[in-house]
Amino acid sequence: MPTPRETILTALHARLSALPATALRGEVLPERVPAGGLLILRDGEPGEPEVTLSPLRYHYQHRAEIEAVVQGSARDAAFDTLTASIGAALAADRTLGGLCDWVEAEAPRPVDLPVEGAASLKAAVIPVILHYTTADPLA
């Protein structure tokens, strides 16, 4: 049986997979960026939980990351469309079907990355904060 952390990250990846961009999880950046863009979900860092007693519960603000990458001549517009679609997908269900208490994304910090012999990439890391509670930090 998967842990709540894994279940939440799987649900987030499934939500990203419904978008027009190609969504990967924990993969390296491929040689070619698909025309619709590329999203790579990184598991991130759960951080130090707040702990409550009786019953014992660990309250996490897990910081996952989405790497968003687009390429091509209209990359600014494509990047804007891609990040807006991520925001809309998260806003549609802030609890990922009841698995989380809350999901929120932070603003991206885009950068242009030159590619030798090809159109440059526009990329950003989008932090996503997953608020959830579990009875055991390892289960």
Side-chain angles (χ1 to χ4, degrees):
M1 177 178 225
T3 63
R5 176 183 59 251
E6 179 60 25
T7 303
I8 290 166
L9 289 169
T10 300
L12 178 56
H13 181 253
R15 179 69 46 95
L16 296 174
S17 295
L19 298 175
T22 300
L24 306 173
R25 181 167 173 209
E27 299 288 331
V28 297
L29 184 65
E31 288 185 23
R32 293 198 173 139
V33 175
L38 178 68
L39 301 172
I40 302 174
L41 175 62
R42 304 281 179 208
D43 291 358
E45 179 69 34
E48 288 294 320
E50 289 187 28
V51 179
T52 56
L53 304 173
S54 191
L56 179 63
R57 294 288 182 256
Y58 299 88
H59 308 279
Y60 286 96
Q61 291 185 25
H62 186 128
R63 186 181 180 92
E65 294 180 334
I66 301 169
E67 293 177 12
V69 183
V70 295
Q71 187 174 25
S73 59
R75 65 185 173 278
D76 292 328
F79 184 81
D80 186 58
T81 301
L82 182 58
T83 56
S85 69
I86 294 168
L90 295 178
D93 181 6
R94 294 278 184 189
T95 66
L96 294 176
L99 298 172
C100 270
D101 295 325
W102 192 254
V103 176
E104 61 184 312
E106 294 180 0
R109 294 186 186 149
V111 295
D112 288 316
L113 304 171
V115 177
E116 190 174 325
S120 66
L121 302 173
K122 185 162 191 164
V125 173
I126 302 169
V128 177
I129 312 302
L130 307 164
H131 300 263
Y132 61 91
T133 300
T134 183
D136 184 341
L138 296 178

